[in-house]
Amino acid sequence: MPASALGLPSELALAFLAGVLLNLTPCVLPVIPLKIRTIIHHAGASPRQRVEAAVAFLAGTLLFFLAIGSASALLHWTWGVLFQSPAVIAFLIALMAGFAAMIFFDIDMPVPAFAYRMGGGRHMEPLISGVLAAILSTPCTGPFLGGVLAFALTQAPAVLVTLFLAIGLGLAFPYVVILLRPSLLDRLPKVGEWSRRLRQALAFLLLAGAVFFAGSLLSTHVTLWLWRAWAVGLAVWAGVAIVRRGTLAVRIVAISAAALGLSTAFAGGLLMPPHGGPLHWRPFTKAQLVAARRAHRPVLVEFTAAWCINCKILEKTVYVAPAVVRAAQRENLVALRVDLTRPNPALERLLVKDGGAGLPFAEIRNPEGHITEIFRGLFGPAALAAAIDRSASRLDMTG
């Protein structure tokens, strides 16, 4: 059912659910270590301190979504537009790298003097954790979010902001519940050497997020060497943890973290020079669309950006899947890539016009040039291959 056919209460419920599900998307993975640190720090706290931490975390998340929602209403921003700014990305990289060091070495967050004077020193970490979680949720869309955003951008400013706040509430909800439920916190195992190693492993995850976003600012060659340095650091850390005398739990944590991190890096091609994909992507231009229509060829248009984690997952998995490649070859498909890494008003208007409100977004155009299928967020190769096959016979626009 299209989003516009639903009432506002249903859209608010979908927005809340979309926010909850954002916690499962790769975009939010880098900030999980900071959330876990916040929860562990309050595991033995009094009920009042837990409530204060939960309120601070929720306030940080909602403040960001209030700001981004207001900007979207007044300035017509699209989801993820902040990441088109090199200054914003540089700030986030520094913030993530700094937090990674704090988590690895278990350093308390430096708190400004004014925060202590206001009695809010202990609230700074959950507040910043909430803000950072909200910021890192915006490069990509998750389940239901694409439809909610497409609906929100057609509404009055007050409704749009309300929907954004519902997304933020859903994003913060699981962690607020954990902080407020003493029974959940009390089930955490006692801290020890294994928990220190787990904390350090999570610091490498946060550092991986910083390296990923650095790829938006640096050359491919420099980024490749940063990934290699990260992989060497992870391997050395795991080796030291395994060789040193420790419990079985410590070794399991080290081996699991190293195996998961390094296998993901190799599978994602992060440690190897990039190569051209089997779909032979071309930069998007209106002339390419006209040429494809004249040649009576279907077109796949991908809207992507260097800072979009979910986009990179699609490019490393779905767009190179054998079923998709075979379908593209059968239909003589033209693959065009719209790069929104940096601001481009014309291409951003095209994204919104074609039914997108954030990244990832992809569309199939039939040989007559009409959009026959659109894909928001993550999707599988079977769905894309079927859409490519159908493109030869479908002339009407669907959504």
Side-chain angles (χ1 to χ4, degrees):
M1 180 182 295
S4 58
L6 300 174
L8 181 58
S10 298
E11 287 295 341
L12 288 171
L14 278 178
F16 176 82
L17 181 59
V20 173
L21 294 177
L22 268 178
N23 288 288
L24 304 179
T25 63
C27 289
V28 186
L29 282 178
V31 81
I32 286 178
L34 187 57
K35 293 179 180 180
I36 292 177
R37 172 185 161 108
T38 299
I39 291 171
I40 291 176
H41 275 193
H42 291 83
S46 67
R48 178 180 175 180
Q49 290 175 325
R50 290 172 179 169
V51 170
E52 291 174 349
V55 170
F57 183 88
L58 179 62
T61 302
L62 292 184
L63 281 173
F64 174 79
F65 275 95
L66 176 63
I68 198 71
S70 301
S72 298
L74 299 175
L75 305 176
H76 305 290
W77 281 7
T78 55
W79 188 260
V81 69
L82 281 179
F83 285 80
Q84 293 179 335
S85 167
V88 170
I89 291 182
F91 174 74
L92 283 176
I93 292 170
L95 201 61
M96 294 170 74
F99 275 121
M102 288 169 48
I103 292 173
F104 189 90
F105 296 106
D106 198 21
I107 301 172
D108 289 333
M109 178 184 295
V111 179
F114 77 86
Y116 274 118
R117 288 196 298 269
M118 295 174 62
R122 65 179 179 274
H123 304 143
M124 287 295 293
E125 184 164 317
L127 179 71
I128 293 177
S129 177
V131 172
L132 191 57
I135 293 174
L136 290 179
S137 71
T138 58
C140 308
T141 56
F144 304 115
L145 186 57
V148 169
L149 293 173
F151 171 79
L153 294 177
T154 66
Q155 303 303 301
V159 176
L160 188 151
V161 172
T162 303
L163 286 165
F164 270 68
L165 288 175
I167 296 170
L169 183 62
L171 180 68
F173 179 73
Y175 297 93
V176 170
V177 169
I178 293 174
L179 284 167
L180 293 179
R181 289 287 302 274
S183 59
L184 295 176
L185 288 172
D186 292 342
R187 292 173 186 173
L188 290 173
K190 293 182 180 180
V191 296
E193 179 65 14
W194 76 269
S195 63
R196 184 172 75 89
R197 291 299 183 184
L198 178 61
R199 186 187 71 240
Q200 292 174 345
L202 291 172
F204 274 101
L205 173 62
L206 190 56
L207 187 60
V211 174
F212 174 83
F213 287 113
S216 300
L217 305 179
L218 305 174
S219 68
T220 303
H221 180 74
V222 174
T223 305
L224 181 61
W225 280 105
L226 283 178
W227 277 118
R228 289 170 177 168
W230 173 86
V232 169
L234 178 61
V236 169
W237 166 82
V240 171
I242 294 169
V243 170
R244 283 185 176 179
R245 288 186 177 181
T247 63
L248 178 61
V250 171
R251 294 176 179 175
I252 290 175
V253 168
I255 293 172
S256 300
L260 181 61
L262 295 176
S263 61
T264 302
F266 277 109
L270 301 178
L271 306 181
M272 298 172 288
H275 59 277
L279 295 185
H280 308 292
W281 293 95
R282 309 174 190 176
F284 175 89
T285 64
K286 291 293 182 67
Q288 291 279 9
L289 281 182
V290 172
R293 187 169 65 249
R294 288 176 177 172
H296 207 66
R297 299 174 64 183
V299 178
L300 166 64
V301 181
E302 180 207 15
F303 292 78
T304 185
W307 37 260
C308 174
I309 297 178
N310 285 358
C311 299
K312 299 305 174 186
I313 290 176
L314 290 174
E315 290 163 10
K316 297 291 185 181
T317 57
V318 174
Y319 294 132
V320 298
V324 172
V325 175
R326 288 194 297 267
Q329 292 171 345
R330 279 195 303 269
E331 304 298 340
N332 199 18
L333 181 84
V334 176
L336 302 180
R337 182 165 281 164
V338 179
D339 189 352
L340 294 176
T341 301
R342 296 288 175 262
N344 189 317
L347 295 179
E348 290 164 20
R349 285 194 297 270
L350 178 65
L351 171 66
V352 175
K353 173 179 171 290
D354 289 354
L359 303 180
F361 181 79
E363 63 190 35
I364 299 291
R365 292 174 177 258
N366 64 17
E368 282 69 31
H370 301 301
I371 298 174
T372 57
E373 308 236 8
I374 60 175
F375 296 89
R376 300 185 181 101
L378 294 174
F379 51 89
L384 180 59
I388 293 172
D389 285 331
R390 288 193 298 266
S391 65
S393 57
R394 294 182 61 181
L395 304 181
D396 57 316
M397 182 183 297
T398 62

